[in-house]
Amino acid sequence: MSDAADQVAEQAAAELLRLRASIDNIDAALVFMLAERFRCTQQVGTLKAMHSMPPSDPAREEQQTARLRALAEEAHLDPEFAEKWFNFVVAEVIRHHTEAAEGR
């Protein structure tokens, strides 16, 4: 390989490392943000259990789905993906709320 080709390959490898480091940082931030979100929703579940409120709130979920789809569009993220992610998270939250209501 020529010196120019070697230099291009080295630059590409360095850029790949830089991008992967950014992805790793974003993934770490997402994990910590999800943990914080679940701490908040666990408090909601405890409150609902204490006051015999249902674990699920379909009207709130519908509002949040619409809000997150709009945010996804604004962020140039596939709204279908955002909704799938939200549905996955909500299912886990409802499971936690149901467990709280059952005293587990």
Side-chain angles (χ1 to χ4, degrees), residues 13-90:
E15 180 69 2
L16 182 61
L17 288 174
R18 185 190 68 75
L19 290 168
R20 285 180 173 168
S22 291
I23 290 167
D24 291 350
N25 287 337
I26 293 165
D27 287 346
L30 287 170
V31 166
F32 280 95
M33 292 297 294
L34 278 171
E36 182 61 23
R37 187 187 196 288
F38 277 105
R39 278 189 284 280
C40 290
T41 60
Q42 285 173 343
Q43 291 175 22
V44 168
T46 300
L47 183 65
K48 285 182 172 185
M50 288 172 50
H51 297 281
S52 300
M53 300 167 80
S56 147
D57 184 345
R60 163 93 172 143
E61 292 160 26
E62 187 177 316
Q63 290 170 346
Q64 285 297 93
T65 297
R67 185 179 80 82
L68 291 175
R69 286 183 67 89
L71 287 171
E73 286 181 19
E74 185 180 327
H76 305 288
L77 177 68
D78 180 1
E80 290 294 320
F81 172 79
E83 185 172 348
K84 287 177 189 175
W85 170 82
F86 180 68
N87 289 337
F88 176 78
V89 170
V90 167

Side-chain angles (χ1 to χ4, degrees), residues 1-9:
M1 221 189 287
S2 70
D3 287 341
D6 287 344
Q7 187 175 9
V8 169

